[in-house]
Amino acid sequence: MMPIDEALNADMKYIAIDFSVLTHLAAEDKQYIEEYIGSRFAAPVRDATFEQLKESEGDDFTDNGMVLSGVLLQIDKVEISEHGAVIEGMKYRSGNGAVGIAIQLELKDGAWKVIEAANNWIS
């Protein structure tokens, strides 16, 4: 999700991942995802929902035109099959700066590989 619409990544102070839909993930899986993303970007990674981010940013969020200081990655839907998976979600920075993303994965030799990642919608 991070390489799609990289303009949303400009001056981000954090990368937030909303794991609330991914209830089947173990704590170790979440930690692996956070560390993986954190190793590729200078911003700290944290687990947070949109509501938690709005609350933590307080007046800065509303004073800044409803723009987050960082990027929120939110997963809305995951479909897993025997040989692959499709992940749908969004990358959000503001109401006018968000993209819907569909990622197609393939399970090959015990590892997940991204086959395709594309925009579904743009705001």
Side-chain angles (χ1 to χ4, degrees), residues 52-97:
Q52 290 168 331
L53 293 173
K54 282 190 344 185
E55 186 176 309
S56 71
E57 293 198 16
D59 290 339
D60 288 342
F61 180 72
T62 53
D63 293 346
N64 200 18
M66 309 290 271
V67 177
L68 294 175
S69 299
V71 171
L72 170 63
L73 305 178
Q74 184 175 357
I75 305 300
D76 298 319
K77 183 178 171 184
V78 177
E79 293 179 5
I80 300 173
S81 68
E82 187 175 324
H83 300 288
V86 175
I87 300 171
E88 294 181 12
M90 77 169 172
K91 179 178 177 181
Y92 180 94
R93 187 71 185 257
S94 72
N96 293 326

Side-chain angles (χ1 to χ4, degrees), residues 3-123:
I4 295 176
D5 201 345
E6 290 186 276
L8 298 177
N9 302 350
D11 300 321
M12 64 183 170
K13 293 188 169 89
Y14 58 81
I15 299 169
I17 304 170
D18 182 351
F19 286 109
S20 62
V21 172
L22 304 174
T23 56
H24 62 284
L25 283 181
E28 299 83 26
D29 295 329
K30 291 178 184 180
Q31 182 179 355
Y32 174 81
I33 292 167
E34 289 173 352
E35 288 173 0
Y36 178 84
I37 292 173
S39 71
R40 284 155 176 75
F41 298 91
V45 178
R46 61 182 172 178
D47 179 2
T49 66
F50 179 69
E51 291 301 320
Q52 290 168 331
L53 293 173
K54 282 190 344 185
E55 186 176 309
S56 71
E57 293 198 16
D59 290 339
D60 288 342
F61 180 72
T62 53
D63 293 346
N64 200 18
M66 309 290 271
V67 177
L68 294 175
S69 299
V71 171
L72 170 63
L73 305 178
Q74 184 175 357
I75 305 300
D76 298 319
K77 183 178 171 184
V78 177
E79 293 179 5
I80 300 173
S81 68
E82 187 175 324
H83 300 288
V86 175
I87 300 171
E88 294 181 12
M90 77 169 172
K91 179 178 177 181
Y92 180 94
R93 187 71 185 257
S94 72
N96 293 326
V99 291
I101 300 171
I103 302 169
Q104 183 179 353
L105 304 169
E106 178 182 53
L107 184 58
K108 190 170 184 176
D109 300 325
W112 291 102
K113 306 276 185 200
V114 175
I115 301 302
E116 182 180 11
N119 289 352
N120 283 345
W121 54 266
I122 191 163
S123 169

